[in-house]
Amino acid sequence: FVVLLHFFFFKQKTAYEMLRSLVGSEMCIRDRVSTQSTWGIIIYYQQQTLSKLSQAFIMNTSAKLLRKAFSSWKPNTPKYKMVIDKESYRLAHPIWDTRDAEKVQITHQKPKGIKDWIAYSIMKGMRSSFDFISGYNPGQMNEIKYLKRFVFLETVAGVPGMVGGMIRHMKALRNMQPDGGWIHHLLEEAENERMHLFTFIQLRNPGLLFRVAILGCQGFFITGYSMMYLISSSCAHRFVGYLEEEAVKTYTHCIKELDEGKLPHWTNLNAPQDAIKYWGLDQNAKFRDVLIAVRADECMHREVNHHFADINPESPVEQEKVTQLENCIGEAERLAQQVFIENEKRSDKKNLQL
């Protein structure tokens, strides 16, 4: 305020001081302002300052409460570690506890409101149509049919994360405000689904007609999902949550049939080297281990998208702790051993307390 008073009383220049030709013209200004106008300006700036301070306090408090609400949310997923490979360009992604990932369960979140019912109805319609066209029938499938289904589904599943991330990215640019962490999560989801696709096409490369079908489906799905996300992002995330529920079902059925010996070509099939490195599997991992990791990924996408549908789209999301590794191979088994030892220690402590 002292600086403001000093400016108004001593630093104002006359028209003569600025330019002699202005003297006597309509652009002449007074050497001093009246006491009444000075105090009016001071009061105005004081009110503006207090208003900005109160807004900043409210926004800071709201952000803390939202972060606290997010941090209290615990996804129903296997134990994992967020890892980034220094030798790879890929984003940070979860490496799963190999033992805990065996326990992934099929779950379903019942629709509550009209948006949930819309999302669920669209998903069920798409699922039923695709099952009919592809001839999907659990218990009557073979390796080729499953691969066709996996490849086609992953080309669709990789769309929502990228579309959502792009829309939120453009919004952040328009508003000139941070996104709060959503873009990172969505892009990681898209890359993860893309990794699923690249893993499966190493076993079977689609033909021309199959690729044309993928192109048509992508054009339809990208358009529809983009419109849905622009209209209601919560409805879009709920839709993806329901879609991932079905993905968990499909991979669970496949793993069950593999264990029952109905998919003999995959019984002793070695895991692709890229998959071993990406999911931190053991060097001698089998294709079944890859399916376990993929199902755990879909379980995570299911939980995160249902959570995103429940919270305010403007809420900031917490960033998870990420571990940098020189080489991820075997990290999943090391994590499983670490978790096992920690559980044993907790069990011993409880027994001592009893």
Side-chain angles (χ1 to χ4, degrees), residues 229-246:
Y229 205 98
L230 288 169
I231 295 172
S232 174
S233 60
S234 61
C235 183
H237 283 295
R238 186 70 73 198
F239 166 78
V240 178
Y242 288 134
L243 196 67
E244 300 295 353
E245 288 180 0
E246 299 302 315

Side-chain angles (χ1 to χ4, degrees), residues 93-346:
H93 58 277
I95 284 184
W96 303 100
D97 177 347
T98 52
R99 300 175 186 177
D100 203 33
E102 296 275 357
K103 305 173 185 177
V104 170
Q105 297 179 349
I106 296 174
T107 63
H108 173 60
Q109 182 164 324
K110 294 183 179 180
K112 297 178 181 178
I114 185 170
K115 291 182 180 180
D116 289 4
W117 280 109
I118 291 174
Y120 184 68
S121 300
I122 294 175
M123 185 280 300
K124 289 297 290 184
M126 291 180 59
R127 170 69 193 258
S128 300
S129 300
F130 181 66
D131 287 352
F132 177 77
I133 294 173
S134 63
Y136 177 67
N137 185 13
Q140 305 296 324
M141 302 285 286
N142 56 31
E143 292 88 347
I144 295 178
K145 290 182 178 180
Y146 265 121
L147 275 179
K148 288 182 178 179
R149 183 175 183 82
F150 292 162
V151 169
F152 199 92
L153 288 178
E154 296 300 346
T155 59
V156 174
V159 170
M162 186 60 67
V163 170
M166 180 192 67
I167 292 175
R168 295 191 68 93
H169 172 68
M170 299 306 294
K171 181 180 178 181
L173 295 179
R174 290 194 306 271
N175 296 340
M176 300 182 187
Q177 292 181 350
D179 173 74
W182 289 62
I183 296 174
H184 172 81
H185 284 275
L186 294 172
L187 294 184
E188 190 280 323
E189 175 185 314
E191 183 183 67
N192 185 255
E193 298 286 9
R194 192 166 64 249
M195 185 61 194
H196 297 175
L197 172 65
F198 293 157
T199 299
F200 293 133
I201 62 175
Q202 291 185 47
L203 302 182
R204 182 179 178 83
N205 198 8
L208 178 61
L209 291 178
F210 195 89
R211 293 174 182 270
V212 171
I214 290 174
L215 180 63
C217 183
Q218 278 191 344
F220 169 78
F221 188 70
I222 290 173
T223 303
Y225 187 78
S226 298
M227 293 178 61
M228 180 187 291
Y229 205 98
L230 288 169
I231 295 172
S232 174
S233 60
S234 61
C235 183
H237 283 295
R238 186 70 73 198
F239 166 78
V240 178
Y242 288 134
L243 196 67
E244 300 295 353
E245 288 180 0
E246 299 302 315
V248 172
K249 287 182 183 179
T250 299
Y251 286 111
T252 300
H253 292 154
C254 179
I255 294 169
K256 181 181 178 181
E257 293 180 21
L258 178 59
D259 292 340
E260 293 173 350
K262 296 180 180 180
L263 304 173
H265 296 292
W266 288 354
T267 302
N268 296 313
L269 180 65
N270 293 326
Q273 191 62 32
D274 287 345
I276 290 175
K277 188 173 182 180
Y278 182 78
W279 282 290
L281 302 175
D282 187 74
Q283 190 64 56
N284 299 319
K286 301 298 181 182
F287 188 67
R288 183 185 184 279
D289 299 317
V290 176
L291 293 176
I292 292 293
V294 170
R295 183 180 64 173
D297 286 341
E298 304 294 4
C299 175
M300 172 65 85
H301 300 161
R302 175 191 70 191
E303 298 296 310
V304 170
N305 277 279
H306 278 317
H307 177 63
F308 281 175
D310 290 334
I311 64 176
N312 190 319
E314 305 303 324
S315 304
V317 295
E318 289 288 346
Q319 182 179 0
E320 296 187 82
K321 180 180 177 181
V322 177
T323 303
Q324 290 188 343
L325 297 176
E326 294 289 348
N327 189 354
C328 293
I329 296 177
E331 188 63 26
E333 185 60 31
R334 287 192 289 271
L335 176 60
Q337 292 289 343
Q338 180 182 349
V339 171
F340 176 77
I341 293 172
E342 290 176 355
N343 291 337
E344 287 293 320
K345 289 181 179 179
R346 293 193 190 99

